[in-house]
Amino acid sequence: MATYGDAQLGLLGDPSRRAIFELLARRPCSVQELADALPISRPAVSQHLRVLRDGGLVVSEADGTRRIHRLDPAGVGALRAWLDGVWSDALTSFHKLAETPPDVPDDPTEGTS
Amino acid sequence: MTDVAPIPPITGTISLTVPVERAFAVFTGSINTWWPHQFHIGHADVEEVVLEPRVGGRWYERGVDGSECDWGRVLLWEPPHRLVFTWQINGSWQFDPDPDRASEIEAVFRADGSGSIVDVEHRLFERLDGGRAINDAINGGGGWALLLDSFATTVAHA
């Protein structure tokens, strides 16, 4: 099968990161608020936030003693995340098509199983 | 030159049992078949995805209503080993004709025994204009719902 870039797929392919992303799409949150809403620890939330920040999806800012995290409204991270999914599908599809013999008869003589 | 932080490229590697000539031919000549038609920019459903086979060629979608929506241009055409084309859809989901604000896709095809390996890299996202639409979508909700739906579809089919 195609070995499409796993590291990039992980950006929103990971269920916890996707959940964090969806919570932040509703409103900006602190790490504690995210940890309270999800079945994962505070350090795990922080780690996922770092990945989302590196991927250009999330920005963080200080608010008194805590940090508030929000989706980056100015960035193209969302576009990149969308394209990440597009390429994953597209390259899988390309792989299948390229491996298909060019002269497949309309009436195949072999069964599929 | 730019005060925008680099955004990591999207990369993919595909190992094929077919030679580079066929890999290149399918990638370029059959893009309408392998590009998933649910991913598009225009308002109409996609009738055809076209990549014109030459430097300066257009990469665009044609809708079932006949409307055309540009996605990018071919920058480098070196069959059967290398292809560079642009993605110029910005954060407002609009085609941006300014080549300085174009992201790039490079596909490299190399022989691997009797088969081939294709490396695809979509890079220079930081050049794209984020635009108001993402901002509005975040504050309004609609665009994000759409984006997340696209993701759900993708993950389900992965």
Side-chain angles (χ1 to χ4, degrees), chain A residues 47-67:
Chain A
Q47 196 159 2
H48 287 309
L49 278 171
R50 186 157 55 241
V51 176
L52 290 170
R53 250 196 326 268
D54 290 347
L57 278 179
V58 167
V59 291
S60 309
E61 62 200 13
D63 175 33
T65 56
R66 41 178 221 162
R67 292 188 71 74

Side-chain angles (χ1 to χ4, degrees), chain B residues 2-152:
Chain B
T2 174
D3 57 355
V4 180
I7 298 173
I10 295 172
T11 59
T13 298
I14 301 119
S15 283
L16 298 169
T17 57
V18 299
V20 284
E21 289 78 9
R22 169 146 175 85
F24 188 90
V26 170
F27 194 94
T28 56
S30 299
I31 197 166
N32 179 51
T33 307
W34 61 264
W35 185 273
H37 280 198
Q38 71 267 29
F39 298 124
H40 67 100
I41 304 300
H43 292 293
D45 284 349
V46 174
E47 171 78 29
E48 190 178 15
V49 176
V50 181
L51 182 75
E52 294 176 342
R54 56 185 166 80
V55 170
R58 295 166 62 211
W59 186 34
Y60 65 98
E61 65 177 85
R62 191 161 45 75
V64 290
D65 62 355
S67 62
E68 292 184 356
C69 179
D70 277 327
W71 292 357
R73 296 286 181 269
V74 177
L75 298 183
L76 204 113
W77 182 263
E78 292 176 357
H81 293 294
R82 200 159 159 244
L83 168 73
V84 178
F85 54 115
T86 63
W87 169 274
Q88 292 173 236
I89 303 296
N90 63 21
S92 301
W93 308 98
Q94 299 289 325
F95 179 75
D96 185 338
D98 185 346
D100 289 340
R101 291 199 294 267
S103 65
E104 279 180 14
I105 298 145
E106 178 173 30
V108 175
F109 304 76
R110 54 201 160 92
D112 178 42
S114 59
S116 54
I117 293 175
V118 184
D119 290 305
V120 177
E121 180 177 80
H122 191 160
R123 62 192 176 216
L124 301 174
F125 285 102
E126 59 275 12
R127 283 188 182 174
L128 292 167
D129 185 358
R132 271 192 67 78
I134 289 179
N135 197 355
D136 293 348
I138 288 172
N139 294 321
W144 282 107
L146 216 67
L147 175 72
L148 292 169
D149 282 350
S150 300
F151 248 91

Side-chain angles (χ1 to χ4, degrees), chain A residues 16-67:
Chain A
S16 294
R17 272 202 289 283
R18 194 182 156 86
I20 291 171
F21 180 82
E22 288 177 0
L23 285 170
L24 294 180
R26 275 176 228 151
R27 65 181 181 85
C29 295
S30 67
V31 170
Q32 190 59 56
E33 286 168 331
L34 290 167
D36 289 345
L38 297 166
I40 54 175
S41 69
R42 242 185 99 123
V45 169
S46 294
Q47 196 159 2
H48 287 309
L49 278 171
R50 186 157 55 241
V51 176
L52 290 170
R53 250 196 326 268
D54 290 347
L57 278 179
V58 167
V59 291
S60 309
E61 62 200 13
D63 175 33
T65 56
R66 41 178 221 162
R67 292 188 71 74

